[in-house]
Amino acid sequence: MTERGERVNYLATLGKDFPSGLVVFLVALPLCLGIALASGAPLFAGIITGVVGGVVVAWLSGSQLSVSGPAAGLTVIVLNGLEALQTYEAFLAAVVLAGALQIGLGLLRAGVIGLYFPSSVIKGMLAAIGLILIIQQVPRFMGANETFYSTLFSDVTAGLASMHTGALLIGAISLAILILWDTPAVKKFKVAKSVPGALIAVLLSIGLNELFKASFPALAVGSGNLVSLPVIGSLAEMGGVLSFPDLGAFANPQLYVVAFTIAIVASLETLLSVEAIDKLDPHKRRTPNNRELLAQGVGNMTAGMLGGLPMTAVIVRGTANVTSGAQTKMSAFIHGVFLLLSVLFLANFLNLIPLSALAAVLLMVGYKLTKPSLYKQQIKIGAEQFIPFIITILAILFTDLLVGICVGLVVGVFFILKANYKSPYFFHKEEHREREVIRIKLSEHVSFLNKASIVLTLDHLPHNSHVIIDGENSEYIDYDVLEAIQEFKKTAHERNIFVELLNIKEVAVMDVH
């Protein structure tokens, strides 16, 4: 069934959904591993979340084309959450709680939450995450150890010596392929549309490292800088490699902060993603937001119970799904099945992937989140958009994600209030012999946000004037505004102002004298 109640014959579109699911799997596999790597979590956790996103969430969601899984936008939250809660099992408890909170948001019909966040703040959040991704992945890209930055700043020679030449070479070639794959010249070819650049980069990185092992041992990347997934022989063995939440962690107050942050950011990213995918849908189907929050909540609870990362609907995978010709949610389900089969049968092969190649994939993801054109666009729009955008970025970089979003939101709301303050009425002056006539015509919709502007205007009207306040064109005038107008009328005689109200409802004004 779709959101309109129409029956969907999933078998009828299988001819298009199956190849689309395969393409999305090829896009998702390196991203699942890379995002887990960037999050500081077990790499297997990324695959678990991808499987849950495809096998579970796809069927619960009202979207036919969106694809869920681990998202780059949550990497900072996972890193901070692991640091705050100290163990991965405690963090999993926060993921389960975050899922429960999302289910609550869905039941409360809070799917409109995304409309109340200024786009400048959301773009700033994603840009900051992009910058953090880039900063984090540079050491892995170079094959350096975790103390790369501190060593580099204290001793440049020692810092550079910690790099691994072979890993750096593999990372550089992988990044070059990703950049080349995104150029218009390459995109013209059909193969570039059906085969993701990340897959080509990862496969070539395996080939390069095997070549190094055979011919240039000094350049070969060792096991410490390769993917490390558990080798599972059957579904029965999977239970032995799963992690489970530590229920005792619910006694830690910090868990609730982490869970709340995951729930809000994951919900925002999901709602933005499904909106974008709906715009790409050739059939123009609309995703019911509240149902999507419910689906994501169930997905996060399931992923958390099985040892997975938190998830969102992911625009990269959704876009790949649409452009490869998907028709229904069967495509997302097929991608999830392929991810499951990959950990069952391809773990030995996946463990040959150099981490520097995954770092290259993440550097590209980070760049796309924070590319220079985004900054130019925000500057071009104006200070009202650019200032909240750049303050959100700086606040996230120097504090943490939740604090940064709150700071950006406060600044964004300030500019919204300022914009509302400017345009609640039309102001016109007429010169007469006896006294100046000022006509104030209220706009169609006058909310409490306009009260400050109207009160300030009334307070600065000249003495000895004739003021006409006309609400003829107003469909709605907030009670607070009506009260302010009546208060002005009541006290205007003190400045010898004659007040005439047209189409303005009378309301009681408190007498404080």
Side-chain angles (χ1 to χ4, degrees), residues 314-372:
V314 185
I315 194 165
V316 174
R317 290 168 218 186
T319 303
N321 200 30
V322 174
T323 55
S324 58
Q327 299 296 305
T328 71
K329 58 181 68 180
M330 179 62 80
S331 175
F333 172 73
I334 289 167
H335 123 277
V337 172
F338 274 124
L339 283 173
L340 178 59
L341 294 175
S342 72
V343 295
L344 288 175
F345 303 110
L346 296 178
N348 283 319
F349 180 73
L350 297 177
N351 286 341
L352 299 175
I353 300 172
L355 295 182
S356 60
L358 293 181
V361 172
L362 290 167
L363 286 175
M364 199 66 180
V365 171
Y367 172 77
K368 287 181 178 179
L369 288 174
T370 192
K371 53 189 174 184

Side-chain angles (χ1 to χ4, degrees), residues 3-238:
E3 63 273 19
R4 296 191 182 99
E6 302 161 348
R7 289 197 175 276
V8 178
N9 185 345
Y10 293 107
L11 293 178
T13 58
L14 192 58
K16 291 184 177 179
D17 286 331
F18 187 87
S20 298
L22 178 59
V23 170
V24 177
F25 157 70
L26 297 175
V27 171
L29 181 60
L31 288 176
C32 285
L33 295 170
I35 289 166
L37 178 70
S39 302
L43 298 188
F44 189 52
I47 302 289
I48 291 171
T49 301
V51 171
V52 173
V55 175
V56 178
V57 176
W59 294 113
L60 296 176
S61 170
S63 174
Q64 292 293 326
L65 298 178
S66 70
V67 184
S68 297
L74 299 180
T75 52
V76 178
I77 299 175
V78 179
L79 273 170
N80 292 342
L82 287 171
E83 185 179 348
L85 301 175
Q86 298 184 336
T87 69
Y88 188 64
E89 289 73 19
F91 176 76
L92 292 177
V95 176
V96 173
L97 180 57
L101 290 173
Q102 285 185 296
I103 291 173
L105 290 172
L107 292 174
L108 292 171
R109 307 189 69 77
V112 295
I113 185 174
L115 301 177
Y116 291 95
F117 278 76
S119 64
S120 57
V121 175
I122 294 171
K123 288 175 182 175
M125 175 190 77
L126 294 174
I129 289 167
L131 287 171
I132 292 169
L133 266 179
I134 291 169
I135 294 167
Q136 283 176 347
Q137 294 310 308
V138 168
R140 286 198 181 97
F141 179 76
M142 296 180 168
N145 56 39
E146 294 179 1
T147 61
F148 172 75
Y149 287 118
S150 58
T151 308
L152 187 66
F153 289 128
S154 61
D155 185 345
V156 176
T157 305
L160 294 175
S162 72
M163 298 187 308
H164 188 282
T165 307
L168 176 57
L169 189 58
I170 288 172
I173 292 172
S174 299
L175 186 59
I177 290 169
L178 291 167
I179 294 170
L180 184 67
W181 216 256
D182 253 7
T183 59
V186 174
K187 281 185 174 179
K188 290 190 300 184
F189 296 100
K190 190 175 181 180
V191 66
K193 294 178 181 178
S194 56
V195 180
L199 179 68
I200 299 298
V202 165
L203 290 176
L204 187 59
S205 73
I206 294 173
L208 275 172
N209 198 42
E210 292 304 306
L211 175 65
F212 291 161
K213 286 179 184 177
S215 305
F216 309 99
L219 294 177
V221 176
S223 59
N225 281 322
L226 296 176
V227 165
S228 178
L229 291 173
V231 178
I232 304 167
S234 65
L235 282 173
E237 293 180 19
M238 187 169 284

Side-chain angles (χ1 to χ4, degrees), residues 478-509:
D478 186 81
Y479 180 87
D480 285 357
V481 176
L482 291 171
E483 193 176 53
I485 291 171
Q486 296 293 348
E487 178 67 33
F488 167 71
K489 181 182 179 183
K490 184 178 177 181
T491 59
H493 65 87
E494 297 172 5
R495 292 188 283 159
N496 195 27
I497 297 175
F498 177 73
V499 180
E500 186 178 353
L501 302 183
L502 303 177
N503 305 297
I504 302 289
K505 188 168 67 174
E506 291 262 358
V507 296
V509 178

